[in-house]
Amino acid sequence: MRLRALLDTDALGLRLLGGEDELDRTVRGVMTTDLRDPSRYLSGGELVLTGLAWRRDAADSEPFVRILVQAGVTALAAGEAELGDVPQDLAVACAWHRLPLFAVHESVAFATITEHVVRQVSGERAGDLAAVVDRHRRMMTSGPAGGGPDVVLDLLGSDLDLRAWVLSPTGRLIAGTKTAGPGLPPDACAKLAAEHLAAVRTGRRGPHRVILGQTTYSLFPIRNGGGRAPQTSRAAQALQAARDVRESVLSDWLLAVEADAGDWADERLDLLQGVTQLIAVERDRRDAARTVRRRLAQEVLELVQTGAAPAEIAARLRVAAPVLLPGLGAAPHWQVIVARVEWDDGGPEAGPVAQSLLEEILVDPLATGPEPSDRIAVAHTGDEAIALVPLPAVSSEHDGSETGVLADALLAAVREPLSSGLDGDGRLTLGVSAAVHSAEGLRGALEEARHARRVAAARPGRVCAAGHQELASHVLLLPFVPDDVRKAFTARLLDPLREYDRRHRAELIPTLEAFLDCDGSWTRCASRLHLHVNTLRYRVGRIEQLTSRDLSRLEDKLDFFLALRMS
């Protein structure tokens, strides 16, 4: 369909702000986003809808528009519900880049525009879907009258006799058909999520067929972004999948349908694809709602890492507490959790992946619905994701260390699906701090969580976690080690390396530090030091020869780590 047709549809509430000469452009999909850089979710030809949450000041507009134009976006529509009139700097940027710009009246929901575009672009490929959408337009509204994914799935049950469930990548139940029979048990959800992640990682095209017991399921991916990707060649689709799969596989929801889609006609397959697009609208809405919590976490993290005064950090925590724990009478305790996703070959940027994944992991696995994570704030910096988890104030006989998130239980419900999603070239490691009751303790809690994550990274397996209890015998006691014991310990391990470096300029000490900092990854360490992997292996071998230690053993890694810390 063309932009002119959208503008002529009064019910959509679109007002043209710029680009009158470009109204014959073709719209091939729609996407709702408030990401500062949504390029990874764009395929070209979309109408992008935004609530402008990405915009902090006028300088943000031009980079955002430039990203959209480079991705081949057809037009931009900005909502007036949050900021009122669309900012002039955005209009100027769109005019400069020749990107048509629309304003969306505050009375019109983005879901209304999305549904209209999906119907028009789909044409006659799924008449029954159009009928369902027309009869239940409220399904994707965010207010109390809407029903979100549950309503969509109930319609599949009542109109098409299909039982279906929306699952998170960790196997948590987001929504499900309630019109007939019992729901999916947690173990079945975990197995379906694991099968789905494994299939996506191996490049198989959906829907994926899975048999559990005597029941056959078909699994459909629910991509972030409500727009439909344009039709491209198989080679282009394969290239896109190879580029994006690791960036999205650990965050995308999936639709599990109790049926064998291999027997379906094209019309019914198109129907289910349309349903996934509608559910993706709800997913985008939920992600937009996380913006405030993420920003709070980012602000607190920046204050902690830059050494801000405890009073300033405490003031920011007082702002965060009512958002994360509404109605709480007393100031909460806080826990810090650090997560890192690492690809064996370097791979795509891992910080946003770890952020999205940690937000999901911290949700109670028995909680259902799309929004139980509204008390979790997660920021990311570099390759790390850092969660600020509020806890209700504990009684005086507890110090907080026995409450809250426990590392040994954190991954119990999600280990199976995540191991499948990371199998082959990825790892997830997490570290959990003890609870702290003041702003002064946050910096120590952050370092504690980072140390715990390093301990987890030294263990075998694709998914590992460690808690503060596992640091009590070494890292937390370092300040109390007598100086003579400290010097003897570091000299025994490091003096042979220092002497060798002095005589041969071999840089064994920097190599050891980088190797431990990269958690023993040969590829990442060699890349950081700008060395060939064989050269790195030679240096590590020389370290092991000089010290009679084995850097593949956890105990020896910890000894070297402590020696470097104490030196």
Side-chain angles (χ1 to χ4, degrees), residues 24-344:
D24 286 328
R25 289 188 181 189
T26 300
V27 179
R28 293 182 290 187
V30 61
M31 177 188 178
T32 301
T33 185
D34 274 311
L35 296 174
R36 297 171 70 86
D37 180 4
S39 57
R40 71 184 66 179
Y41 305 116
L42 296 169
S43 303
E46 294 95 347
L47 169 66
V48 170
L49 308 174
T50 181
L52 300 176
W54 49 266
R55 182 186 178 278
R56 297 185 182 181
D57 54 46
D60 291 335
S61 291
E62 194 281 331
F64 180 78
V65 173
R66 180 172 5 106
I67 288 170
L68 299 188
V69 171
Q70 291 172 349
V73 165
T74 296
L76 174 66
E80 296 179 320
E82 293 295 328
L83 301 181
D85 293 339
V86 175
Q88 181 63 26
D89 49 88
L90 181 60
V92 171
C94 288
W96 176 261
H97 288 282
R98 298 184 64 83
L99 181 69
L101 175 64
F102 298 92
V104 182
H105 193 271
E106 62 181 2
S107 64
V108 179
F110 283 173
T112 300
I113 300 173
T114 298
E115 293 167 10
H116 179 82
V117 173
V118 168
R119 289 200 308 274
Q120 296 300 318
V121 171
S122 300
E124 299 186 5
R125 65 183 177 84
D128 49 353
L129 173 62
V132 168
V133 172
D134 283 338
R135 283 170 36 219
H136 299 273
R137 293 181 62 84
R138 68 183 181 85
M139 71 175 74
M140 301 315 300
T141 63
S142 58
D150 289 293
V151 174
V152 180
L153 300 185
D154 282 343
L155 292 171
L156 288 179
S158 61
D159 287 30
L160 302 174
D161 197 26
L162 289 175
R163 282 163 37 93
W165 301 265
V166 177
L167 305 177
S168 77
T170 63
R172 185 173 61 85
L173 183 64
I174 303 293
T177 307
K178 299 181 177 63
T179 55
L184 279 178
D187 59 336
C189 292
K191 286 182 170 61
L192 290 176
E195 292 285 347
H196 173 74
L197 291 174
V200 173
R201 287 300 308 274
T202 55
R204 288 162 47 196
R205 300 184 64 183
H208 310 122
R209 182 172 177 269
V210 177
I211 300 176
L212 296 183
Q214 303 297 316
T215 306
T216 300
Y217 299 91
S218 295
L219 309 180
F220 295 79
I222 299 173
R223 305 296 186 193
N224 276 7
R228 181 178 177 83
Q231 297 299 316
T232 58
S233 67
R234 289 189 177 182
Q237 289 175 348
L239 179 62
Q240 180 76 9
R243 185 180 63 196
D244 289 347
V245 63
R246 289 186 295 183
E247 298 180 2
S248 61
V249 68
L250 298 175
S251 59
D252 284 344
W253 289 352
L254 67 134
L255 176 66
V257 181
E258 190 179 290
D260 187 350
D263 300 331
W264 288 0
D266 290 343
E267 291 78 7
R268 178 154 289 208
L269 285 172
D270 282 344
L271 164 63
L272 266 294
Q273 294 293 350
V275 169
T276 65
Q277 292 176 44
L278 291 176
I279 296 174
V281 175
E282 171 66 21
R283 174 64 191 271
D284 290 341
R285 188 190 67 79
R286 188 208 63 161
D287 285 347
R290 284 182 170 177
T291 302
V292 173
R293 297 191 297 276
R294 287 177 170 179
R295 189 171 297 171
L296 283 172
Q298 196 72 44
E299 291 173 352
V300 173
L301 174 63
E302 289 174 359
L303 290 174
V304 170
Q305 293 194 128
T306 56
E312 186 176 0
I313 300 175
R316 185 62 59 186
L317 290 177
R318 284 194 295 271
V319 173
V323 176
L324 302 177
L325 284 176
L328 188 68
H333 291 71
W334 301 90
Q335 262 182 299
V336 176
I337 301 176
V338 172
R340 195 166 186 167
V341 172
E342 298 166 301
W343 310 112
D344 293 350

